[in-house]
Amino acid sequence: MSDVVNVDYSTRIPNNVGLTEDRQVLRALEGWHPGYLSWWKDMGPEGFQESLVYLRTAISVDTQGWAKFDYVRMPDYRWGVLLAPREEGRKVNFGAHLGEPAWQEAPGEYRAMLRRLIVIQGDTEPASVEQQRHLGKTAPSLYDMRNLFQVNVEEGRHLWAMVYLLHKYFGRDGREEADQLLQRRSGDKDKPRMLGAFNEATPDWLSFFMFTFFTDRDGKMQLESLAQSGFDPLSRTCRFMLTEEAHHMFVGESGVGRVIERTAQAMRAAGVEDPGETARVRALGVIDLPTLQKKLNLHYSLSLDLFGSEVSTNSANFFNSGLKGRFRESKIADDHRLTDATYPVLKLVDGAITLVDEPALTALNMRLRDDYTQDCAKGVERWNRILEKSGVAFRLRLPHVAFNRAIGQFSRAHADPDGQILSDAQWAQARGAHLPSTEDGDFIASLMAAETRPGRFASWIASPKAGIDNKPGDFEYVKIENS
Ligand code: BYC
């Protein structure tokens, strides 16, 4: 464990924001660091804190520095403050301030709104670490264990990224918010994390892979939108976070893909043709495809809730004020003000799901959610190609956006995965067919036994196509005996 009293912070925190000369912020971060480490110890990965993990550490944002691989004990990981390089002459690219120089300080009139956006983004990062803290003990391989820990330390770094902005640009209330980010806890009754999906459990590795596919992808969409921000330090921070985020989604997509591949292999080898014969498939020690679909339904619908209400004045204000743009705003060919534009929004009208044109400004959450759905659909297609190649007669699909929602238009109704509105009684009956039941969870849990021999994988998941950092198949990604 590092000696937090005598840490040389100017070298300890890799940064490209001139921390050594910025005494005030350096002191604020020094003050925050012990609390962070104690949070990491209490709420970070359970066990393995003294193990040597083959991790990628970002020490600068250039191609040489952003992916340095080496063995590191997680508490000694160098959580850096790294922003994408400043673009000379960058402007506000959308909203009422379109064309004005981007802000290098928090704009006074939007300070509270901006702080809230940063705090919400910051809150999700430690939340996901808390949700995943038990998983190390049941890792299906050292390769997967290493990927879990990589995701965890980087979510920690993303928290640092937001805390830096709070300390640097928001003075005393920023410091208070930074402290509170270490106080809330995922799933806690009294001090929950801010957004719904971040208070759900991540009970097993299939959930972890689904989470990194679906929920980290919400992260990607939100970060892409914040990367457009007229508040330049937020934009630069998010741009660099996105480079790390790509690996998280790779972990999710390839993780689920490997589960599918293994199930298909086992079914073929045993001559099981009907994917609906779940008992026979489960007896092979793999996860049956209908259960996989249920997990997908759950994680997709929880992640849709993270986009907020379809029609939202908050989202209009975020955009108008130049703080949060659309997905890849600068590549969209329109006026970037949206004062007269409309956007079709799916709404519940007289009990029926109907497309209604709404002012584009208030429909920005819906638009981002649509972009997200398209991005998810491409991944699902790639999963289905694995099934197709294996000759298994089953296809995964995204459920309708009205399915299982707790936020927005459809939180007031029940719908099945096809978007048929159901009565309470119909939903009570149908629920078990579309969402994981306790029994499904118990079955998955029964497969979750750790496989810690280098190069070996649990029965329910195929090996990856390539190692991390081009390492060979039997590479010891985590040296557990060091614990
Ligand atoms: N749960 O106008 P509304 C990531 C609240 S993930 C609970 O509908 P708005 C990551 C909302 O706060 C990306 N509450 O929505 C992934 C508001 O409360 P107040 C995280 C919710 O504000 C994996 C009220 O309901 N980043 O990075 O337009 C691992 C009415 O809100 C929820 C961001 O989200 C919910 N699901 O949009 C690690 C970006 N949804 O103000 C990391 C920053 C809404 O009335 N956040 N509410 O008290 C935002 O842009 C927006 O706040 C939201 C909501 C898109 C979240």
Side-chain angles (χ1 to χ4, degrees), residues 338-352:
L338 302 179
T339 34
D340 302 318
T342 59
Y343 188 84
V345 172
L346 272 185
K347 296 178 84 169
L348 201 58
V349 182
D350 299 330

Side-chain angles (χ1 to χ4, degrees), residues 309-326:
S309 304
E310 291 80 354
V311 177
S312 155
T313 47
N314 283 350
S315 74
N317 292 335
F318 296 154
F319 184 87
N320 242 338
S321 52
L323 299 182
K324 182 181 174 192
R326 288 169 292 176

Side-chain angles (χ1 to χ4, degrees), residues 131-132 134-136 138-140 148 201-212 259 287 291 295 298-299 436-438 440-449 460:
Q131 289 170 297
Q132 296 160 13
H134 304 294
L135 294 175
T138 55
L148 166 72
T202 308
D204 54 63
W205 276 78
L206 183 55
S207 277
F208 170 65
F209 292 137
M210 289 289 180
F211 183 97
T212 40
V259 177
I287 301 173
T291 298
K295 281 276 203 187
L298 176 66
H299 286 273
S437 63
T438 312
D440 296 328
D442 289 347
F443 166 68
I444 297 175
S446 76
L447 294 179
M448 297 293 124
W460 54 272

Side-chain angles (χ1 to χ4, degrees), residues 207-378:
S207 277
F208 170 65
F209 292 137
M210 289 289 180
F211 183 97
T212 40
F213 181 87
F214 285 110
T215 308
D216 278 79
R217 194 171 304 273
D218 166 56
K220 166 183 159 183
M221 305 310 286
Q222 300 292 350
L223 289 173
E224 288 274 5
S225 307
L226 294 174
Q228 304 291 333
S229 184
F231 177 52
D232 203 40
L234 176 61
S235 161
R236 291 170 55 204
T237 306
C238 292
R239 270 184 273 155
F240 184 63
M241 287 163 74
L242 279 162
T243 55
E244 292 168 322
E245 202 62 37
H247 175 68
H248 305 189
M249 281 175 299
F250 159 81
V251 169
E253 183 170 332
S254 60
V256 174
R258 288 161 54 215
V259 177
I260 296 170
E261 188 185 330
R262 182 69 198 104
T263 299
Q265 268 170 8
M267 285 172 66
R268 229 182 15 227
V272 183
E273 297 221 330
D274 177 4
E277 285 195 74
T278 53
R280 269 186 82 194
V281 176
R282 287 182 176 190
L284 303 171
V286 295
I287 301 173
D288 55 285
L289 298 168
T291 298
L292 220 110
Q293 176 69 57
K294 288 190 207 176
K295 281 276 203 187
L296 182 161
N297 291 348
L298 176 66
H299 286 273
Y300 176 63
S301 55
L302 285 172
S303 302
L304 288 176
D305 282 341
L306 293 172
F307 290 85
S309 304
E310 291 80 354
V311 177
S312 155
T313 47
N314 283 350
S315 74
N317 292 335
F318 296 154
F319 184 87
N320 242 338
S321 52
L323 299 182
K324 182 181 174 192
R326 288 169 292 176
F327 181 56
R328 305 200 170 136
E329 178 74 38
S330 49
K331 301 214 171 86
I332 302 173
D334 64 13
D335 73 354
H336 302 282
R337 289 186 192 270
L338 302 179
T339 34
D340 302 318
T342 59
Y343 188 84
V345 172
L346 272 185
K347 296 178 84 169
L348 201 58
V349 182
D350 299 330
I353 299 174
T354 316
L355 261 185
V356 181
D357 275 342
E358 288 284 338
L361 272 176
T362 51
L364 285 166
N365 288 344
M366 171 82 189
R367 180 176 177 137
L368 191 62
R369 199 187 74 193
D370 283 345
D371 290 333
Y372 168 79
T373 295
Q374 280 180 26
D375 211 48
C376 290
K378 285 187 211 149

Side-chain angles (χ1 to χ4, degrees), residues 138-151:
T138 55
S141 71
L142 290 182
Y143 165 91
D144 290 291
M145 186 191 278
R146 176 256 166 229
N147 283 349
L148 166 72
F149 295 155
Q150 182 73 58
V151 168

Side-chain angles (χ1 to χ4, degrees), residues 188-204:
D188 190 289
K189 206 162 43 55
D190 303 320
K191 298 176 298 176
R193 290 293 174 184
M194 296 172 88
L195 299 180
F198 293 90
N199 288 303
E200 299 285 328
T202 308
D204 54 63

